[in-house]
Amino acid sequence: MSAKTEQEPAQEASKDERVAASWRLPLTLRGVARYRLGLTGGCLVAFFVLFSFVGPMVYQSNQNDVDTLNALLEPSSDHLLGTDAQGFDVLGRLMKGGQISLQIGFFAALIATLIGTLYGAAAGLAGGKTDAVMMRFVDILMAVPFLFVALIVSTRFNPSVLSLSLVLGLFSWLVPARLVRSEVLSLRTRDYVAAAKSMGAGKWRLVLTHLIPNALGVVIVNITFQVADTILAVATLGFLGFGLSYPETDWGGQLSSGVNYLLSGYWWLIYPVGLCLVGLVLAFNLVGEALRDVVDKRRTV
């Protein structure tokens, strides 16, 4: 057999891998900006990031000491969104709560994505009985009420940004695992995977070098939805009274405190934090939808 004939499978596999890699990282501003809703979501995410992390540098307020003498003040030039029942500036409180929501959202999403991607890729590559057992384990965990477990953990340990990120991340990897496993089942039949196997590549080399990189489109799209779901989960825990402890705060806790004054006319304790929560979750969902459209289009090319 000639050298040219031996190189043909490798060349075809290389070409196939380049085609797969053409949509590997669809996270380009040009690709997302073609979708108006995606561009809107991206602008909203950027706004909330600047609002939460840069805002406190511009609009400084006391967020550590209770000031009951200035409690429940109406919006004014001194307090643009008034004060709450503890005398904290509401606008400054919103900025601090936004920091917590974004930090936990991103940390938990990264943890869940890392675990779920490795687990799903390993299950998809293994196939057969191993894959069946691994995915039945995922099904069992998905049957466990997440909120119930989170509440138990929150009562046993003092909630913090790190602990909530770990808890939410460790119970949110199941969806990414299923998505990546489904993608790997399709990718493992490609020519470049067969070529890598024939050259002696081990399973973990196949997973890390060939399968996961070509499944990154699905993985990155899922991250945006993971962040949105985590922000909602943090708000739910805070609203139920199992969120962060003073002086830390989150939007769910602020919303829970404001509900008590809803009928008293203190609208600034309810509507601003509610709009922030809805706006941030909606922003990440819009970005995720746009990215999913970009990935789907490139996969059909």
Side-chain angles (χ1 to χ4, degrees):
M1 183 180 296
S2 64
K4 181 179 180 180
T5 305
E6 293 177 352
Q7 290 177 355
E8 286 181 356
Q11 291 175 352
E12 292 178 358
S14 177
K15 181 180 179 180
D16 194 6
E17 187 168 9
R18 287 197 300 270
V19 172
S22 65
W23 55 269
R24 183 181 299 171
L25 291 175
L27 288 179
T28 60
L29 292 177
R30 181 182 301 175
V32 178
R34 293 174 183 171
Y35 300 88
R36 292 183 179 180
L37 291 179
L39 181 59
T40 302
C43 291
L44 282 174
V45 171
F47 166 77
F48 279 109
V49 170
L50 293 175
F51 173 78
S52 301
F53 293 95
V54 180
M57 302 178 187
V58 179
Y59 184 83
Q60 299 181 356
S61 61
N62 175 31
Q63 296 296 322
N64 295 316
D65 301 322
V66 175
D67 185 9
T68 55
L69 295 177
N70 292 313
L72 299 175
L73 296 179
E74 294 184 356
S76 63
S77 58
D78 294 328
H79 304 283
L80 297 182
L81 285 178
T83 61
D84 61 12
Q86 287 75 40
F88 292 118
D89 184 274
V90 172
L91 181 57
R93 211 66 174 159
L94 288 176
M95 295 176 181
K96 192 169 185 178
Q99 290 182 13
I100 299 298
S101 298
L102 287 169
Q103 288 173 353
I104 297 178
F106 280 113
F107 290 159
L110 289 176
I111 293 171
T113 300
L114 178 61
I115 298 175
T117 299
L118 293 175
Y119 189 93
L125 180 62
K129 293 183 178 180
T130 302
D131 175 42
V133 171
M134 294 178 71
M135 298 316 296
R136 294 299 77 74
F137 176 70
V138 170
D139 293 339
I140 292 173
L141 292 181
M142 292 188 73
V144 178
F146 163 74
L147 185 59
F148 178 72
V149 176
L151 290 176
I152 293 177
V153 174
S154 299
T155 56
R156 297 278 297 180
F157 303 98
N158 186 29
S160 64
V161 173
L162 180 60
S163 63
L164 283 180
S165 298
L166 290 174
V167 170
L168 295 174
L170 291 175
F171 283 93
S172 302
W173 61 270
L174 305 174
V175 173
R178 294 174 68 93
L179 291 174
V180 173
R181 178 252 184 184
S182 177
E183 190 72 12
V184 168
L185 287 176
S186 173
L187 293 174
R188 70 177 186 175
T189 60
R190 302 292 179 87
D191 291 339
Y192 59 84
V193 175
K197 287 181 179 180
S198 65
M199 296 174 64
K203 289 186 176 181
W204 282 109
R205 181 177 178 82
L206 289 173
V207 168
L208 298 176
T209 306
H210 299 282
L211 297 178
I212 290 180
N214 284 285
L216 277 182
V218 175
V219 171
I220 296 175
V221 170
N222 181 71
I223 288 179
T224 58
F225 295 112
Q226 287 281 349
V227 174
D229 291 342
T230 302
I231 291 173
L232 277 179
V234 173
T236 301
L237 291 174
F239 187 82
L240 295 176
F242 296 94
L244 299 173
S245 303
Y246 174 84
E248 301 294 345
T249 184
D250 58 79
W251 287 343
Q254 295 173 31
L255 195 60
S256 178
S257 301
V259 167
N260 299 324
Y261 300 91
L262 179 61
L263 299 180
S264 302
Y266 299 105
W267 58 267
W268 59 90
L269 301 180
I270 294 291
Y271 298 116
V273 63
L275 289 174
C276 285
L277 182 59
V278 172
L280 185 57
V281 173
L282 177 63
F284 278 106
N285 281 328
L286 290 177
V287 173
E289 291 290 344
L291 291 175
R292 183 163 58 187
D293 289 344
V294 173
V295 171
D296 290 342
K297 280 194 172 183
R298 296 195 179 191
R299 291 171 70 181
T300 58
V301 173

